[in-house]
Amino acid sequence: MSGGTAGAERRRRAAARGQTHLWAVQRVTAMLLGIAVVVHLATILFAVRGGLTAAEILGRTRGNGAWLAFYTVFALAAGLHGAIGLRNIAAETIGLRGRGADLAWLAIGLVTAGFGIRAAYGLFA
Amino acid sequence: MAEPASLKVSVWRGGEDGSFARFEVPARANQTVLDVVTTIQREFDPSLAYRFACRVGMCGSCAMTVNGRARWTCRTHVRKVVGEDGALELRPLANLPVIRDLVADLAPFFDKWQRARGVFQPKDAPDGAVPEDFAVVPPASGARQEADAGIECIGCAVCYASCDVVAWNPDYLGPAALNRAWTLVNDVRDGARQDRLDAVAGDAGCHSCHSTQSCTERCPKNLDPSSAIAGLKRTLFWDTLLGRR
């Protein structure tokens, strides 16, 4: 193998390692979402029994560290899972691939998660 | 099935931008699609290019697209695939460059076996020398059974031509190459496990597979490349999570 192709092969393998990590993150976040969505929906059904008021919600969420931790994990999982899924769809349908695109999708996932975490923190603080 | 008196056969002629030629071929009892192609070449148009060798489902060279679906033509009876009107449409295998008429260029397909490290690398003799002693491989061991499940591939490229992911991503290694890699990952005599797992990881490798299982559905040898690819994903997942790579 010449120096050029060896270098290209090394770069390809480094990229493949990154892609494997993205795949693993998507599978782990899928497992987390499976649990989180059930808890989230069950909580909604439980909370709306006999009506719902803003004060009631805030009474439950303000200062509740466990609640904030749960929704932080939920938002992170949702943001990353969605962005990686969209990345795969974009790669296969419009051929949007490459390191730049991957970093952009990762940023989109983290920003989406950031919005969720900010909303959760707004109900916590 | 229907038994029309003659077959109306549309045959792909030319390269990528070719077109269909139509032939009316007498229907005979028990004829295979390969028999029909041979009849066309011998009696209607000697310039027709197609590929075959063994005629009995051993060599894997006669695969074509028959009525929209990749098949071994030598093992496909006409009566199983023909419509009531006797229509038969023959194209070269999909997802591969067309050389001429019904002949697809399989070079990209076999190049990907190389890229997936489909070559056995003896553990005890990295330089390719014959090992000193025989390896003991219990046939009932889990790893050997995984390897045995995929070892009978004859490289006909029916799975490759049936794979949507290959159509979407020309770099994707495809079911056959990944199946081959999985048999070697499970071969206890092989010494290139890490290197091979690196070669089959990522978007061009097993992680692009959607598990839609066209490969498994259409494999004429009834192999299950889809499960082999799932095995590679599983192995890479735990190796990545546990920091083994």
Side-chain angles (χ1 to χ4, degrees), chain B residues 131-234:
Chain B
E132 295 257 313
D133 211 348
F134 288 107
V136 179
V137 185
S141 63
R144 192 59 234 170
Q145 287 186 342
E146 287 280 356
D148 283 344
I151 209 78
E152 297 287 345
C153 175
I154 62 172
C156 66
V158 162
C159 59
Y160 188 85
S162 305
C163 177
D164 288 329
V165 182
V166 176
W168 296 329
N169 180 5
D171 285 337
Y172 179 55
L173 293 171
L178 293 170
N179 178 73
R180 170 64 183 166
W182 180 238
T183 64
L184 290 173
V185 164
N186 282 291
D187 192 328
V188 293
R189 303 165 302 156
D190 184 88
R193 177 190 167 91
Q194 281 309 320
D195 199 26
R196 186 167 299 108
L197 285 173
D198 270 348
V200 300
D203 290 346
C206 63
H207 292 112
S208 276
C209 172
H210 287 263
S211 308
T212 48
Q213 302 183 44
S214 296
C215 52
T216 297
E217 166 75 19
R218 297 193 180 169
C219 174
K221 301 279 289 183
N222 290 323
L223 303 185
D224 188 1
S226 196
S227 291
I229 296 167
L232 289 172
K233 285 180 182 171
R234 208 164 46 237

Side-chain angles (χ1 to χ4, degrees), chain A residues 13 17 19 21 23 87 92, chain B residues 195 198 203 207 210 240:
Chain A
R13 292 198 173 197
R17 203 160 281 223
Q19 291 155 4
H21 286 140
W23 187 90
R87 164 196 181 267
E92 280 174 3
Chain B
D195 199 26
D198 270 348
D203 290 346
H207 292 112
H210 287 263
T240 301

Side-chain angles (χ1 to χ4, degrees), chain B residues 21-39:
Chain B
R22 285 175 176 76
F23 300 93
E24 184 124 357
V25 183
R28 297 197 176 93
N30 295 324
Q31 71 191 144
T32 64
V33 175
L34 185 62
D35 293 335
V36 172
V37 178
T38 302
T39 303

